[in-house]
Structures are given as C-alpha cells and as structure tokens.
Amino acid sequence: QTALEFGQIFTPPRSVSLWDVIAAAWGAAAGVVAWWMAGGAVRTAFDRWGAARSRRGVAGWLVLAYSAFVVFYKIVPADITVNVASLQAKWERGMYRPVPFTSLGHDPIAAAFGLAAEALLWLPPAALLALGRGTRPVMAWAFTLLFAVGVETLQLTVQSRVSDSTDVLCAATGAAAGAMLAYRIRPDRSQEGDG
C-alpha cells in the first residue's frame, strides 16, 4: 500500500494520503487475526466445496467468481480513502444518497431501466447460492443482500463512486428473484419442504 500511495504522486488525478496507508495496515492486521481465528474452518469449508465434481460444486465456484466480478465492477477505480476531508467533499458533491429513489431523474423509462439493471446484477449470486449449495431460498436471499450491503458500505469510501441506498433495495429485489428462480428449477426441491 505504501508503494501504491507513492506511485500516486505521479498520477495527477489521484490524491496521496497517510490515512490510506494507516487504513491498509489496520486491514492487513485484521485479516491476519481473522485468519488466525477462523482460517482452519475456512480451509475446511473450501475443501468441502468439491469444485468440478458436481453441479453444486461448479455453481459454488461460480458464485465466488461472480461475487469477485461484482466487487470489481462496483469499486473500480478503487480510489478508496478514509480521509475525512475527502469524504466530506464527496458528501458536499451529493455523492451520498441515503434516501432511496431521490436520484432517478424525470425520465421514467431511464429510471426503470436503471433500477432493473441494478436488480438483475444481484440475481445470479442468489440463484447460484440456492442451486450450488442447496441453500434455502430465504438464506440465499439474505446472504446476497448482506453481501450487497457490504459492497455498498465499501463504496462509501470510494471517492469517485456514488453511494445510493436505492442500490440496496434493488439488490434485495434481484436477490429475491434469483432465489425464487433457483427454487423453481432446482430438481430436488420437492424433497426439501422449504420455501
């Protein structure tokens, strides 16, 4: 992180901040502690996925790949900062929108298209969770929504990204559609008694 911050000196649009280095150090330390506390369980969970051995294993790995894509899509250009002045400037530019549906504009067709596109972004992870892991639809929806909230929270610190609560509501809708779709097409649903 220190090297990246130093490199930003030579990139005019980017800002250099000691706070970013401090935040990266704290994050790295938290990662080490988390792995020390739960690394064995995580490794065991990955061993049980059995990728490429079954439909469930493949879907399990697909949900990881798709989740990585969503994070990349939502966070790039990754100009993340915890500098208070930068975050305040973002607020003053109107890039924090805590009240949903306030940024849809006056064109209903464009607004509907934008909402649908955002909802569809969150359909695959819920569907893959329900298909690949045999997760109950409600849990697949909840996991996907929790992931969406996490991504949106991280977006709060991305200087060039708008943080909009509407995206969380769209994620809830898309995840619900994905979970229901997976439940409908899952061949073993008649034996589960969930739903």
Side-chain angles (χ1 to χ4, degrees), residues 86-99 155-158 161-164:
S86 298
L87 298 178
Q88 184 177 355
K90 181 177 176 178
W91 172 267
E92 290 170 355
R93 291 196 305 270
M95 298 178 73
Y96 291 122
R97 296 173 182 163
V99 180
Q155 229 178 24
L156 293 172
T157 64
V158 180
R161 289 285 188 167
V162 174
S163 304
D164 195 335

PDB file of all heavy atoms in Angstrom, residues 86-99 155-158 161-164:
ATOM      1  N   SER A  86     -11.688  14.304   2.366  1.00  0.00           N
ATOM      2  CA  SER A  86     -12.112  13.754   1.072  1.00  0.00           C
ATOM      3  C   SER A  86     -13.535  13.217   1.137  1.00  0.00           C
ATOM      4  O   SER A  86     -14.327  13.417   0.211  1.00  0.00           O
ATOM      5  CB  SER A  86     -11.155  12.632   0.648  1.00  0.00           C
ATOM      6  OG  SER A  86      -9.849  13.119   0.476  1.00  0.00           O
ATOM      7  N   LEU A  87     -13.869  12.557   2.240  1.00  0.00           N
ATOM      8  CA  LEU A  87     -15.222  12.028   2.391  1.00  0.00           C
ATOM      9  C   LEU A  87     -16.240  13.157   2.545  1.00  0.00           C
ATOM     10  O   LEU A  87     -17.362  13.068   2.027  1.00  0.00           O
ATOM     11  CB  LEU A  87     -15.284  11.078   3.587  1.00  0.00           C
ATOM     12  CG  LEU A  87     -14.399   9.836   3.489  1.00  0.00           C
ATOM     13  CD1 LEU A  87     -14.504   8.999   4.758  1.00  0.00           C
ATOM     14  CD2 LEU A  87     -14.764   9.000   2.272  1.00  0.00           C
ATOM     15  N   GLN A  88     -15.846  14.237   3.208  1.00  0.00           N
ATOM     16  CA  GLN A  88     -16.742  15.388   3.335  1.00  0.00           C
ATOM     17  C   GLN A  88     -16.954  16.045   1.977  1.00  0.00           C
ATOM     18  O   GLN A  88     -18.067  16.468   1.652  1.00  0.00           O
ATOM     19  CB  GLN A  88     -16.169  16.395   4.325  1.00  0.00           C
ATOM     20  CG  GLN A  88     -17.096  17.574   4.569  1.00  0.00           C
ATOM     21  CD  GLN A  88     -16.554  18.533   5.620  1.00  0.00           C
ATOM     22  OE1 GLN A  88     -15.530  18.268   6.239  1.00  0.00           O
ATOM     23  NE2 GLN A  88     -17.255  19.637   5.820  1.00  0.00           N
ATOM     24  N   ALA A  89     -15.888  16.107   1.189  1.00  0.00           N
ATOM     25  CA  ALA A  89     -16.028  16.680  -0.158  1.00  0.00           C
ATOM     26  C   ALA A  89     -16.971  15.828  -1.004  1.00  0.00           C
ATOM     27  O   ALA A  89     -17.764  16.353  -1.795  1.00  0.00           O
ATOM     28  CB  ALA A  89     -14.654  16.772  -0.820  1.00  0.00           C
ATOM     29  N   LYS A  90     -16.901  14.521  -0.829  1.00  0.00           N
ATOM     30  CA  LYS A  90     -17.816  13.626  -1.550  1.00  0.00           C
ATOM     31  C   LYS A  90     -19.261  13.908  -1.129  1.00  0.00           C
ATOM     32  O   LYS A  90     -20.159  13.934  -1.965  1.00  0.00           O
ATOM     33  CB  LYS A  90     -17.437  12.163  -1.277  1.00  0.00           C
ATOM     34  CG  LYS A  90     -18.317  11.163  -1.994  1.00  0.00           C
ATOM     35  CD  LYS A  90     -17.868   9.730  -1.760  1.00  0.00           C
ATOM     36  CE  LYS A  90     -18.837   8.759  -2.420  1.00  0.00           C
ATOM     37  NZ  LYS A  90     -18.428   7.347  -2.277  1.00  0.00           N
ATOM     38  N   TRP A  91     -19.476  14.104   0.158  1.00  0.00           N
ATOM     39  CA  TRP A  91     -20.813  14.434   0.660  1.00  0.00           C
ATOM     40  C   TRP A  91     -21.314  15.746   0.063  1.00  0.00           C
ATOM     41  O   TRP A  91     -22.468  15.847  -0.361  1.00  0.00           O
ATOM     42  CB  TRP A  91     -20.782  14.502   2.184  1.00  0.00           C
ATOM     43  CG  TRP A  91     -22.057  15.013   2.781  1.00  0.00           C
ATOM     44  CD1 TRP A  91     -22.366  16.295   3.113  1.00  0.00           C
ATOM     45  CD2 TRP A  91     -23.218  14.231   3.094  1.00  0.00           C
ATOM     46  NE1 TRP A  91     -23.641  16.368   3.635  1.00  0.00           N
ATOM     47  CE2 TRP A  91     -24.183  15.116   3.636  1.00  0.00           C
ATOM     48  CE3 TRP A  91     -23.525  12.875   2.991  1.00  0.00           C
ATOM     49  CZ2 TRP A  91     -25.433  14.678   4.049  1.00  0.00           C
ATOM     50  CZ3 TRP A  91     -24.779  12.445   3.407  1.00  0.00           C
ATOM     51  CH2 TRP A  91     -25.712  13.345   3.919  1.00  0.00           C
ATOM     52  N   GLU A  92     -20.434  16.738   0.021  1.00  0.00           N
ATOM     53  CA  GLU A  92     -20.821  18.052  -0.497  1.00  0.00           C
ATOM     54  C   GLU A  92     -21.133  18.003  -1.990  1.00  0.00           C
ATOM     55  O   GLU A  92     -21.898  18.826  -2.497  1.00  0.00           O
ATOM     56  CB  GLU A  92     -19.710  19.066  -0.209  1.00  0.00           C
ATOM     57  CG  GLU A  92     -19.586  19.397   1.280  1.00  0.00           C
ATOM     58  CD  GLU A  92     -18.336  20.202   1.604  1.00  0.00           C
ATOM     59  OE1 GLU A  92     -17.512  20.420   0.682  1.00  0.00           O
ATOM     60  OE2 GLU A  92     -18.181  20.600   2.778  1.00  0.00           O
ATOM     61  N   ARG A  93     -20.537  17.062  -2.711  1.00  0.00           N
ATOM     62  CA  ARG A  93     -20.832  16.901  -4.134  1.00  0.00           C
ATOM     63  C   ARG A  93     -22.122  16.112  -4.364  1.00  0.00           C
ATOM     64  O   ARG A  93     -22.497  15.864  -5.511  1.00  0.00           O
ATOM     65  CB  ARG A  93     -19.666  16.188  -4.839  1.00  0.00           C
ATOM     66  CG  ARG A  93     -18.405  17.009  -4.924  1.00  0.00           C
ATOM     67  CD  ARG A  93     -17.434  16.441  -5.956  1.00  0.00           C
ATOM     68  NE  ARG A  93     -17.107  15.037  -5.720  1.00  0.00           N
ATOM     69  CZ  ARG A  93     -16.096  14.610  -4.962  1.00  0.00           C
ATOM     70  NH1 ARG A  93     -15.337  15.498  -4.335  1.00  0.00           N
ATOM     71  NH2 ARG A  93     -15.851  13.319  -4.818  1.00  0.00           N
ATOM     72  N   GLY A  94     -22.784  15.702  -3.293  1.00  0.00           N
ATOM     73  CA  GLY A  94     -24.044  14.975  -3.423  1.00  0.00           C
ATOM     74  C   GLY A  94     -23.875  13.531  -3.819  1.00  0.00           C
ATOM     75  O   GLY A  94     -24.782  12.930  -4.414  1.00  0.00           O
ATOM     76  N   MET A  95     -22.729  12.940  -3.481  1.00  0.00           N
ATOM     77  CA  MET A  95     -22.450  11.562  -3.878  1.00  0.00           C
ATOM     78  C   MET A  95     -22.846  10.546  -2.810  1.00  0.00           C
ATOM     79  O   MET A  95     -22.643   9.346  -2.982  1.00  0.00           O
ATOM     80  CB  MET A  95     -20.973  11.418  -4.248  1.00  0.00           C
ATOM     81  CG  MET A  95     -20.584  12.280  -5.441  1.00  0.00           C
ATOM     82  SD  MET A  95     -18.830  12.189  -5.861  1.00  0.00           S
ATOM     83  CE  MET A  95     -18.757  10.549  -6.594  1.00  0.00           C
ATOM     84  N   TYR A  96     -23.403  11.014  -1.705  1.00  0.00           N
ATOM     85  CA  TYR A  96     -24.036  10.144  -0.710  1.00  0.00           C
ATOM     86  C   TYR A  96     -25.538  10.372  -0.820  1.00  0.00           C
ATOM     87  O   TYR A  96     -26.020  11.499  -0.664  1.00  0.00           O
ATOM     88  CB  TYR A  96     -23.568  10.476   0.707  1.00  0.00           C
ATOM     89  CG  TYR A  96     -22.130  10.126   0.993  1.00  0.00           C
ATOM     90  CD1 TYR A  96     -21.221  11.100   1.399  1.00  0.00           C
ATOM     91  CD2 TYR A  96     -21.685   8.823   0.870  1.00  0.00           C
ATOM     92  CE1 TYR A  96     -19.902  10.783   1.667  1.00  0.00           C
ATOM     93  CE2 TYR A  96     -20.358   8.491   1.133  1.00  0.00           C
ATOM     94  CZ  TYR A  96     -19.483   9.479   1.535  1.00  0.00           C
ATOM     95  OH  TYR A  96     -18.177   9.156   1.800  1.00  0.00           O
ATOM     96  N   ARG A  97     -26.284   9.302  -1.075  1.00  0.00           N
ATOM     97  CA  ARG A  97     -27.734   9.430  -1.228  1.00  0.00           C
ATOM     98  C   ARG A  97     -28.431   8.441  -0.291  1.00  0.00           C
ATOM     99  O   ARG A  97     -28.773   7.325  -0.700  1.00  0.00           O
ATOM    100  CB  ARG A  97     -28.115   9.176  -2.681  1.00  0.00           C
ATOM    101  CG  ARG A  97     -27.515  10.230  -3.607  1.00  0.00           C
ATOM    102  CD  ARG A  97     -27.714   9.938  -5.046  1.00  0.00           C
ATOM    103  NE  ARG A  97     -27.076  10.958  -5.867  1.00  0.00           N
ATOM    104  CZ  ARG A  97     -26.800  10.793  -7.156  1.00  0.00           C
ATOM    105  NH1 ARG A  97     -27.095   9.672  -7.766  1.00  0.00           N
ATOM    106  NH2 ARG A  97     -26.218  11.765  -7.817  1.00  0.00           N
ATOM    107  N   PRO A  98     -28.614   8.843   0.962  1.00  0.00           N
ATOM    108  CA  PRO A  98     -29.206   7.928   1.944  1.00  0.00           C
ATOM    109  C   PRO A  98     -30.703   7.693   1.747  1.00  0.00           C
ATOM    110  O   PRO A  98     -31.239   6.682   2.203  1.00  0.00           O
ATOM    111  CB  PRO A  98     -28.926   8.616   3.277  1.00  0.00           C
ATOM    112  CG  PRO A  98     -28.790  10.054   2.949  1.00  0.00           C
ATOM    113  CD  PRO A  98     -28.215  10.118   1.565  1.00  0.00           C
ATOM    114  N   VAL A  99     -31.390   8.619   1.079  1.00  0.00           N
ATOM    115  CA  VAL A  99     -32.827   8.472   0.844  1.00  0.00           C
ATOM    116  C   VAL A  99     -33.021   7.810  -0.520  1.00  0.00           C
ATOM    117  O   VAL A  99     -32.561   8.338  -1.537  1.00  0.00           O
ATOM    118  CB  VAL A  99     -33.540   9.837   0.884  1.00  0.00           C
ATOM    119  CG1 VAL A  99     -35.029   9.671   0.635  1.00  0.00           C
ATOM    120  CG2 VAL A  99     -33.275  10.540   2.209  1.00  0.00           C
ATOM    121  N   GLN A 155     -18.291   1.071  -0.790  1.00  0.00           N
ATOM    122  CA  GLN A 155     -18.395   2.140  -1.786  1.00  0.00           C
ATOM    123  C   GLN A 155     -18.447   3.519  -1.139  1.00  0.00           C
ATOM    124  O   GLN A 155     -18.148   4.522  -1.796  1.00  0.00           O
ATOM    125  CB  GLN A 155     -19.657   1.915  -2.624  1.00  0.00           C
ATOM    126  CG  GLN A 155     -19.422   2.004  -4.106  1.00  0.00           C
ATOM    127  CD  GLN A 155     -20.673   1.724  -4.896  1.00  0.00           C
ATOM    128  OE1 GLN A 155     -21.800   1.880  -4.419  1.00  0.00           O
ATOM    129  NE2 GLN A 155     -20.497   1.319  -6.122  1.00  0.00           N
ATOM    130  N   LEU A 156     -18.832   3.578   0.120  1.00  0.00           N
ATOM    131  CA  LEU A 156     -18.853   4.861   0.818  1.00  0.00           C
ATOM    132  C   LEU A 156     -17.478   5.519   0.819  1.00  0.00           C
ATOM    133  O   LEU A 156     -17.371   6.737   0.855  1.00  0.00           O
ATOM    134  CB  LEU A 156     -19.319   4.672   2.263  1.00  0.00           C
ATOM    135  CG  LEU A 156     -20.776   4.246   2.483  1.00  0.00           C
ATOM    136  CD1 LEU A 156     -21.004   3.925   3.953  1.00  0.00           C
ATOM    137  CD2 LEU A 156     -21.732   5.333   2.016  1.00  0.00           C
ATOM    138  N   THR A 157     -16.426   4.707   0.801  1.00  0.00           N
ATOM    139  CA  THR A 157     -15.068   5.243   0.866  1.00  0.00           C
ATOM    140  C   THR A 157     -14.424   5.409  -0.503  1.00  0.00           C
ATOM    141  O   THR A 157     -13.274   5.820  -0.581  1.00  0.00           O
ATOM    142  CB  THR A 157     -14.179   4.321   1.722  1.00  0.00           C
ATOM    143  OG1 THR A 157     -14.079   3.040   1.088  1.00  0.00           O
ATOM    144  CG2 THR A 157     -14.750   4.155   3.121  1.00  0.00           C
ATOM    145  N   VAL A 158     -15.144   5.063  -1.581  1.00  0.00           N
ATOM    146  CA  VAL A 158     -14.612   5.222  -2.933  1.00  0.00           C
ATOM    147  C   VAL A 158     -14.975   6.615  -3.421  1.00  0.00           C
ATOM    148  O   VAL A 158     -16.157   6.923  -3.602  1.00  0.00           O
ATOM    149  CB  VAL A 158     -15.157   4.146  -3.892  1.00  0.00           C
ATOM    150  CG1 VAL A 158     -14.579   4.335  -5.294  1.00  0.00           C
ATOM    151  CG2 VAL A 158     -14.820   2.756  -3.376  1.00  0.00           C
ATOM    152  N   ARG A 161     -17.252   7.123  -6.640  1.00  0.00           N
ATOM    153  CA  ARG A 161     -18.485   6.351  -6.753  1.00  0.00           C
ATOM    154  C   ARG A 161     -19.604   6.984  -5.933  1.00  0.00           C
ATOM    155  O   ARG A 161     -19.375   7.456  -4.821  1.00  0.00           O
ATOM    156  CB  ARG A 161     -18.270   4.919  -6.262  1.00  0.00           C
ATOM    157  CG  ARG A 161     -17.412   4.088  -7.195  1.00  0.00           C
ATOM    158  CD  ARG A 161     -18.200   3.694  -8.413  1.00  0.00           C
ATOM    159  NE  ARG A 161     -17.471   2.752  -9.245  1.00  0.00           N
ATOM    160  CZ  ARG A 161     -18.019   2.072 -10.230  1.00  0.00           C
ATOM    161  NH1 ARG A 161     -19.297   2.223 -10.492  1.00  0.00           N
ATOM    162  NH2 ARG A 161     -17.294   1.249 -10.957  1.00  0.00           N
ATOM    163  N   VAL A 162     -20.821   6.963  -6.489  1.00  0.00           N
ATOM    164  CA  VAL A 162     -21.999   7.444  -5.773  1.00  0.00           C
ATOM    165  C   VAL A 162     -22.500   6.326  -4.871  1.00  0.00           C
ATOM    166  O   VAL A 162     -22.628   5.177  -5.302  1.00  0.00           O
ATOM    167  CB  VAL A 162     -23.098   7.871  -6.758  1.00  0.00           C
ATOM    168  CG1 VAL A 162     -24.380   8.224  -6.026  1.00  0.00           C
ATOM    169  CG2 VAL A 162     -22.624   9.047  -7.607  1.00  0.00           C
ATOM    170  N   SER A 163     -22.762   6.632  -3.629  1.00  0.00           N
ATOM    171  CA  SER A 163     -23.298   5.661  -2.671  1.00  0.00           C
ATOM    172  C   SER A 163     -24.790   5.924  -2.517  1.00  0.00           C
ATOM    173  O   SER A 163     -25.190   6.932  -1.950  1.00  0.00           O
ATOM    174  CB  SER A 163     -22.579   5.797  -1.324  1.00  0.00           C
ATOM    175  OG  SER A 163     -21.190   5.646  -1.498  1.00  0.00           O
ATOM    176  N   ASP A 164     -25.608   5.012  -3.029  1.00  0.00           N
ATOM    177  CA  ASP A 164     -27.050   5.233  -3.118  1.00  0.00           C
ATOM    178  C   ASP A 164     -27.792   4.091  -2.434  1.00  0.00           C
ATOM    179  O   ASP A 164     -27.584   2.922  -2.768  1.00  0.00           O
ATOM    180  CB  ASP A 164     -27.454   5.322  -4.591  1.00  0.00           C
ATOM    181  CG  ASP A 164     -28.844   5.906  -4.785  1.00  0.00           C
ATOM    182  OD1 ASP A 164     -29.661   5.812  -3.860  1.00  0.00           O
ATOM    183  OD2 ASP A 164     -29.104   6.451  -5.876  1.00  0.00           O
TER     184      ASP A 164
END
